[in-house]
Amino acid sequence: MSRHDNWEAVIGLEVHCQLLTKSKIFSGAPTAYGAEPNTQACAIDLGLPGVLPVLNGEALKMAVKFGLAIDAQIAERCVFARKHYFYPDLPKGYQISQYELPIVSKGHLDVDVDGQVKRVGITRAHMEEDAGKSLHEGFGQQSGIDLNRAGTPLIEIVSEPDIRSAQEAVAYLKKLHQLVVYLGICDGNMQEGSFRCDANVSVRRKGADKFGTRTETKNINSFRFVERAIEFEIERQIEVLESGGKVIQETRLFNPDTGETRTMRSKEEAMDYRYFPDPDLLPVAVGKAEIERIRGAMPELPEAKKQRFVAQYGLPAYDAAVLTGERALADFYERVVQLSAADPKTCANWTTTDLLGVLNKTGKSIERSPVTGEMLAGLIKRIVDKTISGKIAKEVFEAMVAGEGDADAIIKAKGLVQITDESAIVKAIEDVMAKNPGQLADYRSGKDKLFGFFVGQVMKATQGKANPDAVNRLLKEKLK
Ligand code: ADP
Ligand code: MG
């Protein structure tokens, strides 16, 4: 019996999600990632005296969109608050956030874990501004500050402590990530910090009804790290408690190199943020008509798309789930079906097996695919109209991946057109029979297995171009 049988983990996640607006949440400065340090923060982002923030309407709409997608309440009136703390990347001395009246509250997300649906409550999602960044490399003993990120709009999405394992936490995070990217409100780039997570973890004895003391591990920026950080924390806390100690409520940091978390600051050093409503910003009212307008403009969400793919294209649930995993992939697939007018399952196989195989191997996104939807549809069309066999199609596909052009160009350049002329196939069969008298005799005396040998020889003699159905049929006649 593992000691995990005696303990249960309790997990709640706080996710910071950068909104995909062109300009900052309270200023007109651009939000683009990767610019020269300190070229994209204006006086408002820095909170210089004499300037006033103005809410970016687009950021508000995106937050509402998110709220609607998780079936949450959208506040009729929400308020921005100042959260005070000192840190070099926050020159204002406070972060504009929301506290008592967030824009989104009481939503939920249904997550698949091991074939079971698990509902995770979402306590709230509030709008706030991001801070700048400290740079620790290239400044000797000192640190640099890049304020480009200051004022980038975020929603912070706070889950209920409903999650019970690292695996569930990752499933929830992936689903949330998929949703915000589908909604077009976040680019989802975790390496660039567009989507990052704080993990609150505690453990309690199985059957206990009170939660244990939690720790919060900050700013984890990959699914894999979230899993490892939570697993480490669960083990560590169980060990502390089983050896008679107490878990200290504290903020911790995850070190990807060691897979461990370590103390950053304890609760005694916890900050009193002195929240109060920001006097520079008016409360925000989102009217019912506006909410309905936003609802009307919502894209089809992953779950609905998946169900539609099953119903409309007759796909197995598994294929539908893979194809709708990303909105761009789903769009790609639908374009292939439409342009090729071929069997949807054939299109699904080419997309999920061949195309995704290449993309995964080369680490490319569907947006950067060397084979476009038009190109894949062009290839499938040539299989359907029997210009090429399914086997030759794989060769054409490889050539398309290698950048040799579209299917028709490759088929022409390589002379791959399928041989359907039966007299040519018969000729090849007769040659093969003449060259292999021994095998022929064996086959005729009952060695049925040799049929495959003859198919192989004929395909080889025609460089794989003979129509396989015709080869099989004609061989059966001739070998009799
Ligand atoms: P704070 O504002 O101090 O971070 P919150 O009450 O807002 O505290 O909770 C933050 C997160 O911690 C939420 O996601 C919540 O679900 C989670 N949480 C609260 N209590 C526990 C606990 N005992 N164990 C694990 N997670 C918890
Ligand atoms: Mg917190």
Side-chain angles (χ1 to χ4, degrees):
M1 197 170 100
S2 112
R3 58 185 177 180
H4 282 233
D5 296 332
N6 299 326
W7 295 94
E8 176 180 63
V10 172
I11 301 158
L13 299 180
E14 295 165 86
V15 172
H16 285 92
C17 170
Q18 280 184 357
L19 298 176
L20 253 183
T21 55
K22 291 199 180 70
S23 56
K24 302 269 174 84
I25 184 168
F26 300 116
S27 81
T31 52
Y33 180 85
E36 274 294 296
N38 300 313
T39 55
Q40 291 190 165
C42 72
I44 292 171
D45 308 326
L46 306 185
L48 298 185
V51 296
L52 283 174
V54 176
L55 177 63
N56 180 336
E58 220 33 59
L60 178 67
K61 272 190 207 153
M62 289 180 178
V64 171
K65 247 187 191 175
F66 175 73
L68 293 174
I70 58 160
D71 236 342
Q73 290 178 12
I74 311 296
E76 281 171 29
R77 182 173 172 278
C78 68
V79 170
F80 285 97
R82 292 185 180 181
K83 175 180 181 178
H84 297 83
Y85 63 91
F86 172 76
Y87 205 73
D89 65 16
L90 187 75
K92 286 212 290 283
Y94 62 88
Q95 176 193 28
I96 306 177
S97 181
Q98 297 191 306
Y99 188 55
E100 281 173 343
L101 292 168
I103 178 77
V104 168
S105 57
K106 297 198 176 86
H108 59 82
L109 200 62
D110 288 336
V111 181
D112 296 312
V113 191
D114 280 340
Q116 304 261 38
V117 176
K118 156 113 193 184
R119 176 161 287 192
V120 177
I122 293 178
T123 320
R124 55 189 273 148
H126 59 256
M127 287 187 277
E128 62 184 25
E129 59 180 343
D130 212 339
K133 245 191 265 182
S134 300
L135 307 172
H136 302 292
E137 266 157 48
F139 295 93
Q141 295 291 64
Q142 298 174 310
S143 290
I145 303 290
D146 175 9
L147 293 166
N148 283 351
R149 198 175 71 175
T152 295
L154 298 174
I155 45 174
E156 179 178 333
I157 304 159
V158 183
S159 89
E160 289 288 309
D162 289 344
I163 300 164
R164 291 291 172 271
S165 68
Q167 189 205 2
E168 278 183 22
V170 172
Y172 164 81
L173 263 191
K174 285 189 170 164
K175 186 96 189 233
L176 194 61
H177 183 266
Q178 181 196 42
L179 181 63
V180 295
V181 175
Y182 250 84
L183 288 169
I185 64 173
C186 178
D187 68 16
N189 190 326
M190 295 176 80
Q191 261 158 20
E192 292 179 1
S194 303
F195 186 93
R196 47 193 206 263
C197 167
D198 302 341
N200 295 271
V201 178
S202 65
V203 298
R204 60 177 168 182
R205 288 210 179 261
K206 278 249 165 89
D209 37 52
K210 272 189 43 207
F211 289 155
T213 305
R214 74 182 148 113
T215 63
E216 178 174 357
T217 303
K218 283 278 188 200
N219 267 329
I220 325 173
N221 68 351
S222 89
F223 295 125
R224 177 100 194 83
F225 292 167
V226 168
E227 188 170 9
R228 284 170 64 198
I230 292 175
E231 270 165 4
F232 179 86
E233 230 359 67
I234 293 172
E235 288 293 327
R236 188 188 68 83
Q237 291 184 16
I238 293 175
E239 221 164 272
V240 167
L241 294 172
E242 288 202 334
S243 58
K246 271 194 184 141
V247 172
I248 301 166
Q249 181 163 355
E250 61 184 358
T251 306
R252 299 178 70 88
L253 273 183
F254 177 68
N255 179 346
D257 296 327
T258 60
E260 297 179 352
T261 66
R262 65 179 163 81
T263 302
M264 184 172 136
R265 57 174 183 263
S266 72
K267 194 71 185 175
E268 282 78 66
E269 303 155 46
M271 307 194 228
D272 176 355
Y273 293 120
R274 309 269 160 153
Y275 281 101
F276 66 77
D278 192 315
D280 286 347
L281 284 154
L282 293 168
V284 179
V286 190
K288 287 212 166 63
E290 175 66 4
I291 292 176
E292 288 320 307
R293 246 196 315 279
I294 296 171
R295 199 194 300 279
M298 297 269 283
E300 185 179 34
L301 297 182
E303 199 54 42
K305 205 184 270 292
K306 189 171 99 189
Q307 283 168 21
R308 178 169 66 79
F309 275 28
V310 171
Q312 182 177 344
Y313 301 120
L315 294 179
Y318 177 79
D319 293 41
V322 173
L323 289 169
T324 57
E326 272 181 72
R327 189 166 150 190
L329 180 64
D331 291 347
F332 182 101
Y333 169 72
E334 294 208 274
R335 208 157 50 241
V336 172
V337 173
Q338 201 199 1
L339 292 173
S340 69
D343 166 41
K345 175 63 179 154
T346 303
C347 297
N349 292 347
W350 276 96
T351 309
T352 59
T353 310
D354 300 88
L355 184 74
L356 282 188
V358 165
L359 295 181
N360 288 342
K361 207 158 61 196
T362 53
K364 285 206 174 104
S365 64
I366 185 77
E367 288 90 349
R368 300 239 145 76
S369 170
V371 177
T372 64
E374 287 68 18
M375 286 162 78
L376 186 55
L379 174 65
I380 295 172
K381 264 190 184 152
R382 293 297 160 257
I383 308 172
V384 172
D385 70 14
K386 298 207 160 55
T387 305
I388 54 172
S389 66
K391 186 144 174 279
I392 291 288
K394 304 276 173 188
E395 193 182 328
V396 176
F397 182 76
E398 301 265 298
M400 288 200 311
V401 170
E404 293 176 31
D406 65 12
D408 286 341
I410 293 165
I411 291 168
K412 193 159 169 238
K414 295 189 180 249
L416 294 174
V417 175
Q418 178 161 246
I419 302 170
T420 45
D421 171 9
E422 301 206 347
S423 63
I425 297 174
V426 168
K427 167 90 181 42
I429 289 174
E430 284 167 353
D431 285 351
V432 168
M433 285 165 68
K435 274 189 205 142
N436 300 284
Q439 279 88 345
L440 185 58
D442 288 350
Y443 178 78
R444 286 188 167 151
S445 65
K447 265 196 145 181
D448 290 348
K449 271 200 199 139
L450 280 169
F451 189 75
F453 165 78
F454 285 103
V455 173
Q457 291 300 308
V458 173
M459 292 310 283
K460 203 169 147 195
T462 56
Q463 288 107 46
K465 287 186 285 186
N467 175 286
D469 293 341
V471 170
N472 270 281
R473 182 166 43 76
L474 295 168
L475 256 180
K476 279 202 183 109
E477 280 172 23
K478 290 280 162 194
L479 291 179
K480 257 196 250 165

